Amino acid sequence: KHQPISPRAKQAIIELQKRGILFGLASGRGIKQLRLLETQWDMDCDVLIGGNGAELYDGITKETECLFSMKKEWIKELLDFMKRWECNPFCYFHDDKILYRDYDDMMKRSIASSNREGIQVKDESKFYEEENAKMMFRMKEELTPVVEKYLEEHPFEFYKGFKTQATLMEFMDKRCSKGYTLRKLCEQYDIDIEDVVAYGDTTNDNEMLMEAGLGVCLKNGSDDTKAIADESTEFGWMEDGFAKHVEKRLMPIIENR
């Protein structure tokens, strides 16, 4: 949420790792941005899943693997398709830049929160000069459910769109998800996925929560994520919902192993 980690949440993570529990972050942000977040939070993650599953950073080998990307022809097709709605396309470019069409208030906030250089695109062909992990579209909050519903009824063949914020739709390779990459990691290290606990709060977390042995939605999460989660926290993220759930729900299980 572009804010410092709370002391209680950080301590909960430290206590998990002390007890041999691997900890990771899964985000729509790229691996480079997540590594910066690690530095800001002064912590070491055992794994990072970036780009909603398109990238995997292994904290043991210190290697990053790129798993999926949007092909150039898909991006071109998508840009034409999305013109039926009032929205602002943008994408990350070479890790440290954002390409965007319209410089409005929402885009201004997106650039500021991502710590990237913003570059306004005059010709939309710039968006599909290269393959990219994802394309994103900012829109008014009341438009997001309209787009979601249309995509459910008219799915694309090779890629998919899903909500990651109230005003943001993202499009990626149809095979890509945090859940896919979580399962890949577990298979690589012979970890039973039933022993994984995953926390999330919105649509792009759903497949990860369904794959994990225990999928937990934060109290302030979206309704669709609450519906597929095994349980929800008693408190939201601003109330240290994650940390309190770890302390009350997970620690007794870990201590009694």
Side-chain angles (χ1 to χ4, degrees), residues 1-2 29 33 88 90 92 98 100 102-118 138-141 165-168:
K1 302 298 182 183
H2 315 301
R29 304 184 192 190
Q33 293 296 307
N88 189 9
F90 69 104
Y92 299 142
I98 290 182
Y100 62 91
D102 304 321
Y103 189 64
D104 53 21
D105 287 341
M106 285 192 287
M107 187 52 53
K108 185 177 180 179
R109 289 193 293 270
S110 292
I111 293 169
S113 64
S114 70
N115 295 313
R116 288 179 166 94
E117 176 190 355
R138 283 285 180 194
M139 61 192 69
K140 292 180 180 178
E141 187 170 346
Q165 296 176 20
T167 61
L168 180 62

Side-chain angles (χ1 to χ4, degrees), residues 48-113:
L48 299 172
I49 294 175
N52 287 316
E55 301 174 306
L56 174 63
Y57 172 77
D58 187 328
I60 298 172
T61 64
K62 309 299 182 186
E63 295 179 352
T64 298
E65 184 178 1
C66 296
L67 305 174
F68 299 104
S69 62
M70 287 279 285
K71 297 184 182 300
K72 292 183 282 187
E73 58 267 29
W74 298 354
I75 297 173
K76 184 178 186 299
E77 176 187 69
L78 176 62
L79 287 166
D80 290 337
F81 171 82
M82 291 296 289
K83 286 176 182 176
R84 67 191 65 199
W85 294 296
E86 185 179 347
C87 54
N88 189 9
F90 69 104
C91 66
Y92 299 142
F93 183 69
H94 293 180
D95 286 331
D96 59 350
K97 297 177 177 64
I98 290 182
L99 301 184
Y100 62 91
R101 190 186 65 199
D102 304 321
Y103 189 64
D104 53 21
D105 287 341
M106 285 192 287
M107 187 52 53
K108 185 177 180 179
R109 289 193 293 270
S110 292
I111 293 169
S113 64

Side-chain angles (χ1 to χ4, degrees), residues 29-223:
R29 304 184 192 190
I31 294 299
K32 184 175 181 180
Q33 293 296 307
L34 292 177
R35 295 300 309 278
L36 289 174
L37 199 60
E38 277 187 294
T39 301
Q40 292 169 11
W41 289 359
D42 188 26
M43 59 182 292
D44 292 312
C45 293
D46 301 293
V47 61
L48 299 172
I49 294 175
N52 287 316
E55 301 174 306
L56 174 63
Y57 172 77
D58 187 328
I60 298 172
T61 64
K62 309 299 182 186
E63 295 179 352
T64 298
E65 184 178 1
C66 296
L67 305 174
F68 299 104
S69 62
M70 287 279 285
K71 297 184 182 300
K72 292 183 282 187
E73 58 267 29
W74 298 354
I75 297 173
K76 184 178 186 299
E77 176 187 69
L78 176 62
L79 287 166
D80 290 337
F81 171 82
M82 291 296 289
K83 286 176 182 176
R84 67 191 65 199
W85 294 296
E86 185 179 347
C87 54
N88 189 9
F90 69 104
C91 66
Y92 299 142
F93 183 69
H94 293 180
D95 286 331
D96 59 350
K97 297 177 177 64
I98 290 182
L99 301 184
Y100 62 91
R101 190 186 65 199
D102 304 321
Y103 189 64
D104 53 21
D105 287 341
M106 285 192 287
M107 187 52 53
K108 185 177 180 179
R109 289 193 293 270
S110 292
I111 293 169
S113 64
S114 70
N115 295 313
R116 288 179 166 94
E117 176 190 355
I119 300 176
Q120 190 166 20
V121 170
K122 301 298 184 182
D123 183 349
E124 287 194 356
S125 65
K126 185 72 176 177
F127 286 121
Y128 49 88
E129 281 186 358
E130 301 178 9
E131 292 187 359
N132 206 309
K134 60 182 178 179
M135 276 297 301
M136 295 166 281
F137 294 81
R138 283 285 180 194
M139 61 192 69
K140 292 180 180 178
E141 187 170 346
E142 58 268 24
L143 182 57
T144 308
V146 176
V147 178
E148 279 188 298
K149 187 174 188 300
Y150 189 93
L151 293 175
E152 288 175 5
E153 297 172 350
H154 306 84
F156 293 105
E157 183 177 3
F158 300 111
Y159 51 93
K160 61 184 177 181
F162 48 89
K163 176 187 67 182
T164 56
Q165 296 176 20
T167 61
L168 180 62
M169 293 291 297
E170 299 191 6
F171 292 81
M172 307 186 69
D173 186 305
K174 184 171 281 188
R175 299 166 295 172
C176 181
S177 74
K178 294 179 183 179
Y180 172 93
T181 307
L182 174 62
R183 181 168 288 279
K184 175 181 171 66
L185 178 78
C186 288
E187 290 172 354
Q188 182 176 327
Y189 282 100
D190 196 26
I191 297 170
D192 188 341
I193 203 164
E194 289 300 311
D195 291 334
V196 174
V197 180
Y199 292 84
D201 65 359
T202 195
T203 308
N204 64 324
D205 298 316
N206 288 0
E207 292 185 49
M208 179 177 68
L209 268 58
M210 289 190 289
E211 285 281 2
L214 179 64
V216 184
C217 181
L218 274 293
K219 181 181 179 180
N220 58 292
S222 57
D223 290 339

